[in-house]
Amino acid sequence: MEYTKPLAQLIEFFQKFPGIGPKSAQRIAFCLLKMQLSDIQKFARLMIDAKTNIHYCDICYNMSASNPCEICSDTKRDNSIICVVSEIKDLIAIEKTREYKGLYHVLQGLISPLDGIGVEDIRIKELLTRISNSSINEIILALGSSVEGEATSMYIAKLLKPLNIKISRIAFGLPIGSDIEFADEITLARAIEGRRLINSPEQISR
């Protein structure tokens, strides 16, 4: 027996979300149908509101309802330091440590030729433009220890070397190949605090 068409379409839609397979999609759909209509309407409004009002910050490419975002607009932040991260989830993970007080730059991805993601597909050009138009003293590379993170860090370090800017990389008390978002707050705080300077791009992989 097949599900009635509206339910089947709902289940099929939920499978579009990352990590949601057929069984998970079914559970979410049935859970949704058990909710009060008022709660479902509120949920729908929240999704529409988020999609309508949340945009990428023109400066750092964080997501925010304001532009510039709350971090870029905060006058208490140290605007001489930029922490470069791959995704917004990494920014959030570092913010939760309450250890870092500088600014961010979200690349929105990592260089990954196997996935068809090249230098032009992420926000490296915007990072260089931003550095050239401001007084930046240090760039912190917080791109994880995966193959893609290593390659992207090395590429950025090569580009920045002629600019005579201090380049550092967070210390990793993490398993090789792990993602920043999965690290606990204490480990991340110590990684920011114990970041090491990079005098040449080759030091990225050491």
Side-chain angles (χ1 to χ4, degrees):
M1 179 179 175
E2 296 182 356
Y3 291 119
T4 183
K5 186 176 180 180
L7 180 55
Q9 290 177 326
L10 188 60
I11 293 172
E12 183 180 352
F13 185 85
F14 282 129
Q15 290 184 64
K16 295 181 179 180
F17 290 90
I20 303 297
K23 290 187 177 180
S24 296
Q26 290 174 30
R27 287 196 293 270
I28 295 172
F30 281 119
C31 178
L32 193 66
L33 292 175
K34 291 178 182 179
M35 294 172 63
Q36 295 291 326
L37 179 60
S38 59
D39 290 333
I40 295 175
Q41 290 172 332
K42 181 180 180 181
F43 181 42
R45 287 195 298 270
L46 288 172
M47 288 191 293
I48 293 171
D49 183 61
K51 181 63 177 177
T52 303
N53 296 316
I54 296 176
H55 306 280
Y56 289 118
C57 173
D58 286 341
I59 298 174
C60 73
Y61 300 96
N62 180 24
M63 276 188 172
S64 175
S66 61
N67 194 9
C69 71
E70 294 84 354
I71 294 176
C72 290
S73 301
D74 188 350
T75 56
K76 295 180 181 179
R77 310 283 302 206
D78 184 348
N79 59 14
S80 68
I81 305 175
I82 294 179
C83 181
V84 181
V85 297
S86 169
E87 304 287 352
I88 295 168
K89 58 190 178 184
D90 299 329
L91 181 157
I92 297 299
I94 293 173
E95 278 296 284
K96 286 181 178 179
T97 70
R98 301 185 183 278
E99 181 70 29
Y100 177 68
K101 303 301 181 183
L103 303 178
Y104 292 92
H105 189 86
V106 184
L107 294 177
Q108 298 180 348
L110 294 170
I111 298 171
S112 179
L114 292 177
D115 296 319
I117 302 174
V119 174
E120 67 283 352
D121 297 313
I122 59 178
R123 302 288 186 175
I124 292 179
K125 181 177 70 174
E126 289 83 354
L127 173 63
L128 296 177
T129 300
R130 185 178 175 188
I131 292 172
S132 65
N133 293 334
S134 55
S135 301
I136 302 299
N137 295 328
E138 181 181 0
I139 296 294
I140 303 174
L141 299 175
L143 300 178
S145 56
S146 64
V147 173
E148 294 80 7
E150 295 281 333
T152 307
S153 294
M154 186 174 293
Y155 182 83
I156 293 175
K158 286 181 178 179
L159 291 178
L160 296 181
K161 187 177 180 181
L163 301 181
N164 294 319
I165 294 175
K166 185 189 297 182
I167 306 170
S168 62
R169 192 179 187 195
I170 62 172
F172 279 98
L174 307 171
I176 296 299
S178 64
D179 291 325
I180 289 174
E181 64 169 312
F182 299 121
D184 62 272
E185 294 174 14
I186 294 176
T187 298
L188 270 178
R190 289 176 178 172
I192 291 291
E193 187 176 344
R195 64 185 183 273
R196 58 185 175 84
L197 290 178
I198 299 171
N199 296 316
S200 67
E202 289 72 23
Q203 287 183 308
I204 292 291
S205 58
R206 295 177 187 173

